[in-house]
């Protein structure tokens, strides 16, 4: 028989204590948070949505190249609507996960009992892994609270409806509305990260245990709402499949498998980490695990937490817990078990949504021990106090882990530069409207520095562009700053943008730090001399205005329009002799449309020797097609009225 436990005044005090602990752990040292590539891409899409520039029907690409659903963008649009500073979104994620701790306590208290709620709530509040995955703008970090809300709706709607079924209103009562919203809320949460889809059977576990309580009217509404929730991604996935079939191919997940073995128990190992708190160094500092363990060591007594999880799991066979067994077993273990076959790579964050279930199982185990100890009142207090001390050591460990990652320079996949160091750079750049970033990559969807600074400087700079060390040079019209990132290649662009007295902004000990070079006007180009030509106007409003040949390179001069987020050209140069004979060809990537700023002069070059007998050049801008259409889609050259004239520019070479 289902027992619903009322919440009394002292229970609210316990909840406040648990929420306070959860808030201290998640909001403490907010500047020691990563703001890396995925975080910045998601922030960009949310900013564009808030600005009305783009309504996404897909999110950022997943690790296998398949586009993620857009629900993570929709969630992040909320804090970015309030403020464009990424710290606002970080605080939002932290707050959402504090609410998640409260939801777990409510589920546990309402259906499992006061003691289990206390233990599970504190364990979840102080779990190092739960805290780690509660603090940054990363889709995996904010789906679990929504999963918890969906589970609470399901339990309330399907398991508590009996008392009101005889006097139902003509439409839906509160329990039936909860039934109607359970699946849509879960589907919304599962779309935030693909790994969460392994939890879909928990909906069946909730519904089928009390299947006689199903309201078919509510289920009808639920189906309609679920279709609406899934529609944006269905549209986006269909569009992706048409534009790039390879990107929408689910078979790509097999490329993430770690080795050739048919089975791997890595997922079980990671689940044990999440249950006990061990192994955090493998994620925070994989390149410096020994150093981290020397600086801050996990405690051997954490094994007791794992023991309580196993005890709680075994107790599900008892009659009093049997109705909850399908839900808790699927919730805690199914995602890990589903990845034992080697069909995809395995990472700890795939199992974030299982952490609350593991804490509930630990709570059941501790409650059982507290129930059977001698001198029950005193013994239970001692048991709960001892377990609370174990959890407290996890909180102390977390604070030490934060100090370690904040003080020692590490590179990805270790804990990347904390955001408070980036804010120091942002403060130095706040007076500049134009910024050029020098880094080792300039692709928005591939390289960290290229996307991070456009988000960090969104409130202060009208244009932020990123250059690699060779092949491109941009000349803004007016005053600008150059940010030399720690990963800038040596002597990038022959030192064109470097000054003698840059501002230095340090990062963690051992890191190269950032340098800021200030320019009142664009530097003079000292490379191959540029010959001006009558401009060619390409589709996309890109003007070809000049060229240079020499030093083993071909240089083209361009004038750029405003940013175009969806336009990524390649460029090709093809020399011809006086008889019209093609003498060769060189192709490379043009500057991504996201990097363009209106009025910028751009130089692009390839290290390619133009033959001495070449008398003319053909220049193409083109996009890469796919199997459904032409492999190469040339951009037309337009006349003064905007009508297509040719698919390339052609001009004579002056020797």
């Amino acid at each position: 028989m289902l027992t619903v436990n009322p919440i009394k005044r002292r229970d609210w005090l316990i909840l406040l204590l648990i929420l306070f602990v959860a808030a201290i752990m998640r909001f403490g040292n907010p500047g020691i948070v990563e703001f890396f590539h995925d975080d910045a891409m998601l922030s960009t899409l949310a900013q564009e949505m808030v600005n009305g520039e783009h309504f996404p029907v897909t999110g950022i690409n997943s690790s296998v190249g398949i586009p993620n659903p857009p629900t993570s963008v929709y969630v992040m649009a909320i804090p970015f609507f309030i403020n464009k500073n990424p710290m606002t979104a970080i605080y939002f994620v932290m707050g959402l996960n504090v609410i998640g701790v409260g939801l777990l306590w409510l589920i546990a208290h309402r259906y499992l009992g006061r003691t289990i709620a206390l233990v599970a709530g504190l364990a979840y509040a102080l779990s190092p892994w739960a805290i780690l995955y509660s603090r940054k703008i990363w889709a995996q970090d904010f789906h679990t609270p929504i999963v918890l809300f969906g589970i609470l709706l399901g339990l309330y709607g399907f398991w508590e409806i009996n008392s009101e079924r005889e006097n139902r209103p003509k439409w839906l009562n509160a329990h039936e509305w909860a039934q109607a919203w359970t699946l849509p809320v879960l589907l919304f949460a599962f779309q935030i990260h693909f790994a969460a889809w392994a939890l879909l059977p928990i909906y069946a576990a909730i519904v089928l245990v009390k299947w006689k309580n199903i309201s078919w009217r509510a289920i009808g509404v639920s189906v309609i709402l679920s279709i609406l929730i899934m529609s944006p991604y269905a549209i986006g996935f269909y569009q992706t499949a048409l534009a790039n079939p390879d990107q929408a191919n689910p078979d790509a997940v097999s490329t993430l498998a770690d080795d050739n073995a048919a089975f791997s128990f890595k997922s079980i190992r990671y689940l044990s980490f999440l249950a006990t708190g061990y192994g955090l160094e493998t994620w925070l500092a994989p390149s410096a695990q020994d150093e981290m363990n020397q600086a801050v060591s996990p405690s051997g007594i954490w094994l007791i937490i794992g023991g309580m999880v196993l005890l709680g799991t075994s107790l599900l066979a008892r009659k009093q817990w049997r109705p909850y067994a399908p839900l808790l077993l699927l919730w805690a273990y199914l995602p890990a078990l589903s990845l034992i076959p080697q069909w995809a790579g395995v990472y700890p964050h795939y199992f974030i949504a299982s952490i609350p279930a593991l804490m509930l199982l630990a709570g059941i185990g501790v409650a059982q021990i507290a129930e059977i100890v001698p001198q029950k009142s005193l013994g239970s207090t001692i048991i709960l106090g001892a377990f609370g001390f174990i959890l407290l050591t996890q909180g102390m460990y977390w604070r030490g882990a934060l100090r370690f990652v904040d003080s020692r320079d590490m590179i990805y996949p270790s804990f990347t530069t904390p955001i408070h160091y980036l804010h120091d750079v942002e403060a130095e750049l706040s007076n500049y409207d134009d910024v050029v970033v020098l880094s080792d990559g300039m692709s928005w969807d591939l390289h960290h520095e290229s996307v991070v600074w456009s988000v960090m400087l969104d409130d202060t700079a009208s244009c932020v562009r990123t250059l690699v060390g060779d092949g491109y040079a941009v000349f803004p019209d007016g005053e600008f700053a150059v940010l030399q990132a720690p990963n800038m290649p040596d002597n990038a662009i022959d030192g064109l943008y470097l000054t003698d007295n840059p501002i230095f902004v340090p990062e963690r000990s051992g890191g190269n730090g950032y340098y800021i070079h200030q320019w009142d006007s664009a530097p003079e180009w000292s490379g191959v001399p540029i010959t001006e030509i009558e401009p060619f106007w390409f589709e996309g409003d890109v003007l070809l205005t000049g060229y240079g040949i020499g030093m083993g390179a071909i240089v083209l001069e361009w004038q750029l329009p405003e940013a175009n987020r969806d336009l990524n050209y390649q460029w090709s140069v093809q020399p011809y002799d006086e008889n019209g004979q093609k003498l060769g060809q060189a192709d490379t990537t043009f500057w991504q449309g996201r990097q363009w700023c209106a009025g910028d002069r751009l130089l692009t070059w390839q290290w390619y020797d133009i033959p001495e007998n070449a008398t003319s050049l053909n220049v193409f801008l083109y996009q890469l097609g796919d199997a459904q259409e032409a492999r190469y889609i040339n951009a037309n050259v337009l006349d003064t009225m905007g009508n297509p004239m040719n698919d390339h520019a052609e001009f004579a070479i002056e020797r």
Side-chain angles (χ1 to χ4, degrees):
M1 185 70 179
L2 176 69
T3 300
V4 178
N5 303 300
I7 301 177
K8 300 180 180 179
R9 181 177 298 178
R10 64 172 179 172
D11 297 321
W12 289 117
L13 294 176
I14 291 173
L15 174 60
L16 288 176
L17 171 64
I18 291 171
L19 292 178
F20 176 75
V21 173
I24 290 295
M25 291 294 101
R26 283 150 183 79
F27 284 95
N29 299 112
I32 312 177
V33 171
E34 290 183 292
F35 188 66
F36 201 60
H37 189 226
D38 285 4
D39 317 80
M41 285 199 298
L42 183 54
S43 299
T44 301
L45 295 181
Q47 286 180 340
E48 291 175 347
M49 180 178 174
V50 169
N51 293 338
E53 301 171 19
H54 177 65
F55 185 83
V57 289
T58 58
I60 65 174
N61 278 351
S62 66
S63 54
V64 297
I66 299 173
N68 278 299
T71 51
S72 57
V73 184
Y74 303 159
V75 174
M76 280 297 97
I78 298 171
F80 279 108
F81 178 79
I82 299 170
N83 189 302
K84 291 184 179 179
N85 190 323
M87 280 306 303
T88 302
I90 288 171
Y91 287 132
F92 177 82
V93 172
M94 293 172 176
L96 196 62
N97 280 284
V98 172
I99 293 172
V101 174
L103 289 172
L104 179 66
W105 177 89
L106 182 58
I107 291 170
H109 184 279
R110 192 169 182 84
Y111 303 107
L112 303 177
R114 178 180 291 114
T115 300
I116 296 173
L118 172 63
V119 173
L122 284 176
Y124 193 34
L126 289 163
S127 164
W129 285 98
I131 301 168
L132 171 68
Y133 292 129
S134 299
R135 287 169 48 89
K136 71 171 187 168
I137 308 171
W138 203 36
Q140 295 89 328
D141 279 26
F142 52 83
H143 67 353
T144 303
I146 305 174
V147 172
L148 286 162
F149 182 57
I151 291 172
L152 179 62
L153 284 174
L155 294 175
Y156 176 77
F158 289 99
W159 290 24
E160 293 189 41
I161 196 172
N162 282 345
S163 60
E164 296 186 17
R165 285 180 68 83
E166 293 181 0
N167 299 308
R168 289 187 305 177
K170 292 182 179 179
W171 188 223
L172 302 181
N173 61 32
H175 292 286
E176 289 172 318
W177 274 116
Q179 287 190 19
W181 277 105
T182 298
L183 184 59
V185 169
L186 289 174
L187 290 176
F188 184 91
F190 295 162
Q191 288 183 82
I192 292 176
H193 190 259
F194 281 128
W197 282 103
L199 290 175
L200 186 58
I202 66 176
Y203 177 72
I206 293 172
V207 173
L208 296 180
V209 167
K210 297 286 184 178
W211 64 271
K212 292 182 179 180
N213 292 346
I214 294 175
S215 165
W216 293 107
R217 290 186 299 181
I219 294 300
V221 174
S222 184
V223 170
I224 295 172
L225 292 173
S226 297
I227 292 172
L228 293 175
I229 290 292
M230 294 297 297
S231 291
Y233 186 51
I235 294 170
F237 193 85
Y238 176 73
Q239 292 175 347
T240 301
L242 287 180
N244 190 349
D246 291 338
Q247 193 180 2
N249 183 4
D251 292 339
V253 297
S254 63
T255 62
L256 281 184
D258 302 301
D259 50 49
N260 294 323
F263 298 94
S264 170
F265 290 97
K266 183 182 287 188
S267 61
I268 303 301
R269 175 170 172 260
Y270 286 149
L271 195 69
S272 70
F273 285 172
L274 302 185
T276 60
Y278 291 120
L280 205 65
E281 71 281 356
T282 65
W283 190 252
L284 289 180
S287 61
Q289 295 184 42
D290 292 339
E291 294 91 329
M292 181 172 170
N293 286 332
Q294 290 175 3
V296 52
S297 300
S299 174
I301 59 177
W302 297 356
L303 288 172
I304 295 174
I305 303 175
M308 292 301 100
V309 172
L310 294 176
L311 176 60
T313 302
S314 68
L315 290 172
L316 294 179
R318 293 192 173 186
K319 184 177 180 180
Q320 70 181 110
W321 303 119
R322 210 170 292 157
Y324 304 96
L327 170 62
L328 291 177
L329 290 174
L330 291 172
W331 187 3
Y333 298 116
L334 182 60
L337 293 175
S338 67
L339 283 171
I340 289 178
Q342 275 281 74
W343 59 272
V346 182
Y347 303 95
H349 59 265
Y350 287 2
F351 315 115
I352 296 173
S354 291
I355 299 177
L358 296 170
M359 301 303 102
L360 287 174
L361 293 172
I364 292 173
V366 172
Q368 177 63 25
I369 298 296
E371 181 74 22
I372 63 175
V373 293
Q375 299 183 352
K376 183 177 178 181
S377 179
L378 176 61
S380 296
T381 302
I382 293 173
I383 292 297
L384 294 176
F387 197 77
F389 174 77
I390 295 172
L391 299 177
L392 181 61
T393 65
Q394 293 200 322
M396 296 169 63
Y397 170 82
W398 169 254
R399 301 303 292 269
L402 279 185
R403 289 192 296 270
F404 178 81
V405 299
D406 192 47
S407 61
R408 189 187 190 283
D409 184 64
M410 296 178 287
I411 61 173
Y412 181 82
S414 296
F415 198 95
T416 55
T417 304
I419 195 171
H420 72 88
Y421 292 103
L422 305 183
H423 279 305
D424 293 340
V425 178
E426 176 192 16
E428 294 290 346
L429 291 170
S430 61
N431 294 323
Y432 290 91
D433 189 54
D434 280 352
V435 176
V436 175
V437 181
L438 301 180
S439 180
D440 64 352
M442 61 181 187
S443 296
W444 178 86
D445 51 351
L446 293 175
H447 301 113
H448 162 65
E449 303 286 354
S450 177
V451 60
V452 162
W453 293 107
S454 61
V455 176
M456 295 290 295
L457 301 172
D458 184 77
D459 279 338
T460 58
S462 63
C463 196
V464 181
R465 334 110 163 112
T466 305
L467 291 175
V468 291
D470 189 27
Y472 308 83
V474 68
F475 302 88
D477 183 17
E479 183 184 29
F480 69 101
V482 172
L483 176 61
Q484 178 183 340
N487 59 5
M488 184 197 81
D490 293 338
N491 199 32
I493 320 175
D494 290 331
L496 178 67
Y497 296 101
L498 306 186
T499 60
D500 294 333
N501 298 298
I503 298 171
F504 175 65
V505 184
E507 49 177 346
R508 295 175 293 186
S509 177
N512 293 329
Y514 290 85
Y515 291 86
I516 298 171
H517 305 268
Q518 305 168 78
W519 290 89
D520 294 329
S521 60
E524 292 293 328
W525 172 246
S526 58
V528 178
I530 302 300
T531 300
E532 301 298 324
I533 61 174
E534 187 69 26
F536 289 90
W537 180 17
F538 282 89
E539 287 177 324
D541 288 338
V542 178
L543 293 179
L544 174 62
T545 59
Y547 72 96
I549 297 174
M551 303 167 59
I554 169 66
V555 184
L556 296 182
E557 180 189 61
W558 312 83
Q559 195 77 16
L560 295 176
E562 293 182 353
N564 189 329
R565 65 180 299 275
D566 296 316
L567 189 54
N568 295 314
Y569 279 139
Q570 310 288 311
W571 69 276
S572 173
V573 60
Q574 301 173 10
Y576 284 78
D577 64 18
E578 61 183 4
N579 298 317
Q581 183 70 31
K582 182 177 176 180
L583 302 177
Q585 179 173 332
D587 294 70
T588 193
T589 303
F590 197 69
W591 215 21
Q592 283 195 350
R594 281 185 177 272
Q595 309 281 5
W596 300 351
C597 297
D600 275 359
R601 174 187 175 223
L602 173 70
L603 295 182
T604 65
W605 61 90
Q606 301 185 56
W607 297 104
Y608 174 65
D609 277 317
I610 300 295
E612 289 293 331
N613 60 332
T615 59
S616 66
L617 289 177
N618 287 2
V619 175
F620 293 81
L621 282 182
Y622 62 92
Q623 298 183 74
L624 298 176
D626 55 50
Q628 303 297 317
E629 56 186 343
R631 285 291 183 181
Y632 307 102
I633 307 169
N634 293 331
N636 288 315
V637 175
L638 309 177
D639 62 20
T640 55
M641 300 297 293
N643 299 312
M645 294 192 308
N646 206 339
D647 66 353
H648 66 279
E650 182 177 352
F651 54 88
I653 297 174
E654 296 182 15
R655 295 290 186 178

